[in-house]
Amino acid sequence: MKKVLLLSATFFMFLFTANAQVIYEDDFDSYTVGGYLAEQSAEWTTWSGAPGGDEDGIISDDQAMSGSNSVLVEDITDLVLPLGNKTSGRYEVSFYYYVPSGFGGYYNIQHYEQPGIEWAMECYFDDDGTGYIHAGGENAATFAYTMDAWVEVVNIIDLNNDNAELYIEGNFIHSWQFSLTSDGEPGELQLGGMNHYAGATSGMTAKYYFDDYNYEQLPVVLFFDDMESYNAGEYLAEQSDWWTTWSGATGGDEDALISDAQAYSPTNSALVEGVTDLVGPFGNKTSGVYEVNFYIYVPSGFGGYYNIQHFEQPGIEWAYEVYFFELDEGILTVGGEDYSFFYNHDEWVYVENDIDLDADWAEVYIDGTLVHEFQFSQQANSNEPGTLQLGGIDIFAGAQSGETPMFYFDDFEWTELSAPSDPLIAVDPTSMSAALEEGQTEDQMLTVENVGFADLEFDVDIIYDLDSKKTSAPAPAPTTKIKSIVLDIQQMPNPKPGPAAPARDDVTLTYAGDPAGGIGLTDGGIWEVAARFPNDMIVQYAGMELTSMDVHINEDADNFQARIYGEGMNNQAGDLLTSQNFTPILGDWVNIELDDPVVVTGEDLWVGYMINQTQPGTFPAGNDEGPADPNGDWIKSGVAWTHLSSNPDLNYNWTIKGYLTGTAMPNWLSVAPEAGTVAPGESEELTVTFDGTGLDNGSYFATMEINSNDPNAPITEVEAMLDIVTGVNEYGENNGILIYPNPVQDHINIQANHEVTNIRIVNYVGQLVYENNNPNELTKVITSDFTNGMYIIQVETTAGTSNHQIVVR
């Protein structure tokens, strides 16, 4: 049993192939014969971290699988190859073994890079040409091998599915649950390192050679579709759990039909024509290396198109676009530039998209020929920086202007070549509460931890739970899909400045200067403009109401509708809070008094209006002289919001102003710091302050929204509750009330020394979940049907009323 622990640094050489990422490979021919391996190599070490001694392996030219050298293991050799403590992805560790007659061999895999903590598996080569392994249990499998010959050993470790496989001389030997230790006990799901030890079965002498070492990350097929599981003549996205459409409406004109008219393999493909607009979601990946490959068939006389989006919700940012023209030529558009390629009509053409988010790099190949390599975070039709994120693919019935789109695609494959190294947020606790008298304050600690593999960026928004109206009225669908905002928006020629907005005494929300002209869609359509007022600007006004807005309309359109949205995700508006039609005063400001005012809670507010512009060549939306504030120029001409200033020539704000009236409530909750960066494996303590100043007796609720760059949890919510008790001890010492147990599982007891007249229990959002108008001095309340979380028990007695917090688990 090995007892010495080692902590080592690992330096790997990274090479990339089309099918796997080679992390380390070595044929040992670059080292001095007779010298030590770990002393000459930065990748290897020994069990006790002492290269150049007896534990080190000798470079030998006695045997070699390739070239002239190999590594000799004998006596007390104890070599270690650290593999990086991998916790996700699929990996292959392969090498060749040569065991001379009369000797035995051995190697093992460790769950930790620091050896000696957990053995994942052990493999013995006996001196009679047989062997056995301990893997998920002792003596899990046996095998035969050829002595006095080079034998290939292949270890495949799939951390995503917690599985491992062993192959020797091309023969499958065994598969097992990799997180188990070699003797079958529960262990760590982690690939730590390889250990080549001069070990052998008891009574045998260890001596062997190894050569041609290879450690690589295998591709993980995240999604594959050959269209064969669908019914021909029916819609693809309607039959698939993965595919969707641009507007999310499967089974309609945007969906692609399954066709047996053409197929790469074997009988079906997907037909794209008319207004087909198929979307494949990639999950907003921010790290890792990926391939997106498929076959496309464009009949003579037709064109084709696809694009890659930076966001899973399409229409926010185009990463790049690819057009297939009618004349055997095509272009890739990225960074505002076009790059040409050639292809053959009436043939299946292989399309390959290689996207390395870790290096911010991408390559596009058509039939094996590189079209262009580029920085992936660029945008398709702009030289402005974009978002380093892989959102999705859009396979659209698009073509060069004047051409007709129609094409087929088949054998679609999305592959992960290198696992993502994303930050992962963990927050403790997930709910917080305090009980104070008016004027008191209390500090509590909130821990934000990064359990991932990249820096965690976070900021905290506080949203107060107040009455806020929401409507389910859907936004009208755009009349046409607009692929590129830069190409479809125009500014009014020779704009004329307009008058300044009338002064008001209320709180004014705006980014707008004086009117300076107008903007319109080149071909007209239904579109929206808005100014976004984020949490850090408006949380101080929580409790006030947005009661009116001023907008400056430049020219007329068929219809205008004021629209107020709440907070969404990924720089998109959330719920529609209120809307109402209005009649503009052309060339001047119009004040819109909202029929349904919106309560300010601290969540982002999007204040804007919708335009139904049926006349091309008009400029209804008013703009100022600029420059644009990042939140003052939002526009939606399709299904997603983006910036007017994405076109550098349109660097303006919309002439929109919102007005708040009423009295702001005390901001009784605060967090410090409000933002930060947490390194992998580290945590940060946030101070959460509850402040009862200016609050009346009762319960108050809020949510701390922790926004982060964790792609799996972009928003983490922590509930907060403040109970204000005036003149009564919160624990009932002045009125003789005892509540137990707390925390609660299936029931709670409420006992009082005075006559109890009423018991009420409300949940976190203030909903009444229990009431008893005729309780006893000892009342038992069954809580087994309560949802886990915090509750307030309000107990009325002849001695007074008190509020008590409980937690149901």
Side-chain angles (χ1 to χ4, degrees):
M1 179 64 67
K2 301 177 174 65
K3 299 178 181 178
V4 181
L5 303 183
L6 165 69
L7 181 63
S8 63
T10 306
F11 302 89
F12 285 141
M13 147 177 80
F14 290 87
L15 304 172
F16 293 92
T17 68
N19 297 311
Q21 175 189 338
V22 177
I23 302 173
Y24 166 74
E25 62 180 358
D26 207 334
D27 61 6
F28 308 108
D29 288 332
S30 64
Y31 306 125
T32 302
V33 174
Y36 289 112
L37 169 60
E39 193 174 37
Q40 300 181 70
S41 170
E43 288 80 22
W44 291 86
T45 185
T46 72
W47 188 270
S48 62
D54 291 341
E55 285 186 335
D56 211 339
I58 297 292
I59 299 298
S60 171
D61 58 3
D62 292 342
Q63 303 289 342
M65 172 62 193
S66 67
S68 58
N69 293 352
S70 64
V71 179
L72 171 61
V73 177
E74 62 179 350
D75 297 327
I76 59 171
T77 303
D78 209 349
L79 280 165
V80 171
L81 177 66
L83 301 179
N85 285 342
K86 304 294 186 182
T87 58
S88 64
R90 290 179 67 238
Y91 300 89
E92 178 180 305
V93 183
S94 63
F95 42 82
Y96 285 86
Y97 251 38
Y98 185 103
V99 184
S101 295
F103 295 97
Y106 168 92
Y107 76 92
N108 71 65
I109 301 176
Q110 299 276 309
H111 277 151
Y112 289 84
E113 197 171 86
Q114 181 175 331
I117 300 175
E118 279 183 12
W119 279 253
M121 67 89 74
E122 297 177 89
C123 184
Y124 288 85
F125 295 79
D126 285 353
D127 59 9
D128 61 355
T130 65
Y132 59 96
I133 65 171
H134 303 320
E138 294 184 354
N139 300 310
T142 61
F143 58 89
Y145 74 99
T146 306
M147 303 193 73
D148 298 314
W150 283 102
V151 173
E152 185 181 28
V153 179
V154 178
N155 304 271
I156 297 177
I157 299 99
D158 184 350
L159 296 170
N160 295 338
N161 295 299
D162 192 8
N163 184 71
E165 298 174 352
L166 172 65
Y167 296 82
I168 294 180
E169 290 190 291
N171 298 314
F172 171 74
I173 306 303
H174 186 54
S175 67
W176 69 96
Q177 183 180 338
F178 183 72
S179 61
L180 296 176
T181 62
S182 59
D183 57 4
E185 295 297 318
E188 188 73 16
L189 181 56
Q190 182 169 276
L191 178 59
M194 302 294 300
N195 175 216
H196 291 275
Y197 174 57
T201 300
S202 179
M204 299 182 188
T205 302
K207 179 180 177 180
Y208 58 93
Y209 304 83
F210 65 84
D211 198 5
D212 288 2
Y213 220 96
N214 186 70
Y215 171 39
E216 62 186 30
Q217 180 163 358
L218 300 176
V220 177
V221 177
L222 300 176
F223 177 74
F224 176 78
D225 205 338
D226 62 3
M227 314 299 167
E228 297 307 311
S229 64
Y230 310 124
N231 297 323
E234 298 181 11
Y235 289 111
L236 167 57
E238 193 173 37
Q239 302 179 74
S240 169
D241 293 331
W242 189 76
W243 293 99
T244 185
T245 70
W246 187 269
S247 64
T250 61
D253 291 342
E254 284 187 337
D255 211 338
L257 282 172
I258 297 298
S259 172
D260 56 7
Q262 299 289 342
Y264 181 77
S265 73
T267 59
N268 287 352
S269 65
L271 171 62
V272 179
E273 63 178 349
V275 294
T276 303
D277 209 348
L278 201 66
V279 170
F282 293 145
N284 288 339
K285 302 293 186 183
T286 58
S287 63
V289 181
Y290 303 89
E291 282 189 357
V292 181
N293 305 326
F294 55 91
Y295 287 88
I296 188 171
Y297 183 102
V298 184
S300 295
F302 295 97
Y305 170 93
Y306 76 92
N307 70 66
I308 299 293
Q309 298 275 314
H310 278 150
F311 289 83
E312 190 171 274
Q313 181 174 347
I316 300 174
E317 271 184 21
W318 282 253
Y320 59 89
E321 300 177 89
V322 178
Y323 287 87
F324 296 82
F325 297 156
E326 289 182 357
L327 298 176
D328 290 347
E329 188 179 358
I331 58 168
L332 159 69
T333 301
V334 63
E337 302 289 337
D338 294 334
Y339 301 90
S340 299
F341 62 87
F342 294 94
Y343 76 103
N344 293 326
H345 279 80
D346 302 315
E347 292 182 9
W348 283 102
V349 174
Y350 190 53
V351 178
E352 181 180 345
N353 303 269
D354 297 342
I355 300 165
D356 184 344
L357 295 172
D358 298 327
D360 191 9
W361 200 249
E363 300 172 356
V364 175
Y365 295 83
I366 302 295
D367 263 347
T369 300
L370 176 66
V371 177
H372 185 54
E373 54 184 342
F374 51 95
Q375 183 179 346
F376 179 71
S377 61
Q378 293 182 89
Q379 299 185 57
N381 290 291
S382 171
N383 58 10
E384 294 296 312
T387 305
L388 180 56
Q389 182 170 275
L390 176 59
I393 187 170
D394 176 31
I395 301 178
F396 175 56
Q400 187 182 36
S401 179
E403 298 185 349
T404 302
M406 187 181 85
F407 59 94
Y408 304 84
F409 75 93
D410 200 1
D411 286 9
F412 184 95
E413 185 174 61
W414 173 34
T415 303
E416 177 187 273
L417 300 184
S418 176
S421 55
D422 295 315
L424 298 173
I425 190 171
V427 175
D428 184 47
T430 57
S431 62
M432 306 180 75
S433 63
L436 305 173
E437 292 187 9
E438 192 278 331
Q440 291 182 332
T441 63
E442 180 179 310
D443 289 342
Q444 298 182 20
M445 302 311 295
L446 176 66
T447 302
V448 175
E449 184 179 6
N450 182 6
V451 295
F453 301 95
D455 284 351
L456 176 74
E457 307 285 344
F458 76 91
D459 64 80
V460 185
D461 291 343
I462 295 175
I463 311 297
Y464 291 100
D465 182 29
L466 303 168
D467 291 334
S468 180
K469 297 179 181 296
K470 294 183 180 180
T471 176
S472 59
T479 54
T480 57
K481 176 173 177 189
I482 296 171
K483 280 305 202 181
S484 171
I485 189 171
V486 176
L487 301 178
D488 293 287
I489 293 179
Q490 56 183 353
Q491 182 187 17
M492 181 180 184
N494 304 315
K496 297 180 180 179
R504 294 180 180 271
D505 295 330
D506 306 318
V507 174
T508 301
L509 304 176
T510 191
Y511 304 101
D514 290 339
I519 301 292
L521 294 189
T522 303
D523 298 323
I526 296 175
W527 53 298
E528 297 185 58
V529 301
R532 174 188 182 184
F533 302 103
N535 171 267
D536 58 1
M537 177 185 293
I538 65 172
V539 68
Q540 61 186 312
Y541 306 121
M544 299 182 73
E545 291 186 336
L546 177 68
T547 53
S548 68
M549 53 189 286
D550 281 344
V551 297
H552 184 276
I553 302 300
N554 188 65
E555 291 185 346
D556 203 5
D558 279 15
N559 185 55
F560 294 91
Q561 185 180 84
R563 286 177 170 265
I564 314 297
Y565 292 94
E567 182 172 346
M569 295 177 61
N570 295 325
N571 288 322
Q572 297 298 294
D575 291 320
L576 179 62
L577 303 180
T578 191
S579 63
Q580 72 184 60
N581 293 331
F582 68 91
T583 301
I585 302 173
L586 300 182
D588 203 348
W589 293 87
V590 59
N591 180 250
I592 306 160
E593 294 288 339
L594 297 177
D595 297 334
D596 295 311
V598 175
V599 177
V600 178
T601 65
E603 71 169 317
D604 295 2
L605 285 179
W606 295 62
V607 180
Y609 57 93
M610 182 203 71
I611 306 165
N612 186 359
Q613 177 196 344
T614 57
Q615 295 296 321
T618 58
F619 308 90
N623 63 272
D624 68 3
E625 293 181 347
D629 183 280
N631 279 310
D633 70 336
W634 289 98
I635 180 171
K636 185 172 77 166
S637 56
V639 297
W641 291 91
T642 186
H643 290 285
L644 176 69
S645 57
S646 293
N647 183 338
D649 295 330
L650 302 176
N651 190 22
Y652 312 118
N653 300 291
W654 303 117
T655 43
I656 296 172
K657 300 187 177 187
Y659 299 104
L660 307 182
T661 61
T663 303
M665 65 173 287
N667 280 192
W668 53 264
L669 189 68
S670 61
V671 181
E674 296 178 343
T677 301
V678 184
E682 301 294 328
S683 63
E684 182 162 349
E685 297 288 330
L686 310 184
T687 301
V688 178
T689 300
F690 294 83
D691 187 347
T693 303
L695 297 180
D696 296 327
N697 184 42
S699 300
Y700 297 84
F701 304 92
T703 300
M704 289 176 279
E705 290 188 349
I706 304 176
N707 308 289
S708 74
N709 59 337
D710 178 348
N712 299 310
I715 296 179
T716 303
E717 294 186 347
V718 177
E719 299 173 346
M721 177 172 63
L722 175 60
D723 182 18
I724 297 297
V725 180
T726 303
V728 179
N729 184 282
E730 195 270 333
Y731 296 100
E733 294 173 3
N734 288 349
N735 60 0
I737 293 176
L738 179 63
I739 294 178
Y740 63 94
N742 189 12
V744 187
Q745 289 189 344
D746 55 4
H747 76 277
I748 191 166
N749 299 304
I750 304 170
Q751 186 174 358
N753 292 335
H754 302 277
E755 181 183 353
V756 180
T757 58
N758 183 264
I759 297 174
R760 301 173 78 249
I761 302 179
V762 296
N763 63 14
Y764 171 78
V765 295
Q767 296 171 324
L768 182 66
V769 297
Y770 174 88
E771 185 170 18
N772 188 339
N773 293 313
N774 189 27
N776 300 317
E777 290 185 0
L778 174 60
T779 301
K780 180 178 180 179
V781 180
I782 303 300
T783 60
S784 55
D785 292 334
F786 286 19
T787 303
N788 289 350
M790 292 185 296
Y791 293 80
I792 291 291
I793 298 181
Q794 299 171 340
V795 183
E796 295 181 9
T797 74
T798 55
T801 300
S802 63
N803 296 330
H804 304 260
Q805 298 168 145
I806 63 170
V807 176
V808 175
R809 293 178 178 172

